[in-house]
Amino acid sequence: MAGIFVGGKGLRMNGQAKGLLRVNGISIVEHWCTLLRPFAVDVVLVGVRPEYASLGLRILPDRVANCGPMGGLAALLEAAQGAVLALGGDMPYVTGAMLEALIQEPSDALVVAPKRDGQWEPLFSRVRANAKDFVVDCLKRRELSLQKLFDSLHAHPLNLNHDEEICLHDWDSPEDIQQ
């Protein structure tokens, strides 16, 4: 199962639903769906915003409200039968080759994700189902940092080249779109 995280308030984007922003004529969410189609995975939206209802995709509310992406990851893992892909709804430049590398990475680690500038990219990650209890426990303790979670789970770094790392840039503000 692949979860596209769309629940943020988009405050730096003046409240816009970032996953509906368009690049090359399609929304970021549609871009993800196109990239995911060859892998035949169920695609869900993680987080509730009414703007996404018209897309016809299943919507998973965060397991606990106001807990950021940790609440969404817990909900995604609880809804899935196996490993999940956690994907940012504000990442318009990810390529199919990058997605394939993430899916096919031969690590048996609980988490696989790239690191950029010393930080995990949690919303371009693969998380195994047996990480669910640990994620839910972190959520109960209000330990909401995905960086700390990935470190605790000994995440395996997905190696990307410089151009691919640039493709992980997200759209957080109008200035990001203009760049």
Side-chain angles (χ1 to χ4, degrees):
M1 178 179 285
I4 304 168
F5 283 60
V6 297
K9 293 182 174 105
L11 297 177
R12 290 177 284 177
M13 193 62 80
N14 303 315
Q16 281 188 280
K18 295 187 283 184
L20 297 178
L21 295 171
R22 299 178 91 65
V23 62
N24 298 326
I26 63 170
S27 72
I28 296 172
V29 169
E30 291 170 313
H31 173 70
W32 275 121
C33 290
T34 300
L35 292 179
L36 290 161
R37 194 168 296 122
F39 302 103
V41 296
D42 290 330
V43 179
V44 297
L45 299 177
V46 180
V48 177
R49 285 196 60 157
E51 298 96 315
Y52 292 100
S54 65
L55 296 179
L57 293 170
R58 180 176 164 205
I59 296 174
L60 286 178
D62 290 352
R63 186 176 194 275
V64 176
N66 301 315
C67 288
M70 185 72 78
L73 182 57
L76 182 61
L77 285 165
E78 288 177 338
Q81 299 297 317
V84 299
L85 299 173
L87 308 169
D90 58 358
M91 297 175 134
Y93 305 117
V94 171
T95 67
M98 292 168 62
L99 188 59
E100 183 173 3
L102 177 64
I103 292 169
Q104 301 297 333
E105 179 66 25
S107 173
D108 60 357
L110 289 176
V111 176
V112 174
K115 261 190 158 177
R116 241 179 351 144
D117 301 323
Q119 297 289 310
W120 294 108
E121 186 57 65
L123 294 184
F124 187 72
S125 65
R126 183 183 80 209
V127 182
R128 292 198 183 276
N130 50 347
K132 176 180 70 172
D133 291 340
F134 192 82
V135 172
V136 170
D137 190 49
C138 286
L139 190 60
K140 287 178 184 173
R141 293 190 317 264
R142 301 291 292 180
E143 295 174 6
L144 306 179
S145 169
L146 290 177
Q147 295 298 318
K148 289 180 183 176
L149 172 72
F150 283 24
D151 284 339
S152 296
L153 294 176
H154 307 289
H156 174 80
L158 175 68
N159 292 317
L160 299 177
N161 66 41
H162 177 70
D163 291 338
E164 291 170 326
E165 285 183 8
I166 290 171
C167 289
L168 290 175
H169 286 285
D170 56 5
W171 283 356
D172 284 329
S173 67
E175 293 79 26
D176 293 335
I177 297 171
Q178 291 173 345
Q179 291 177 354

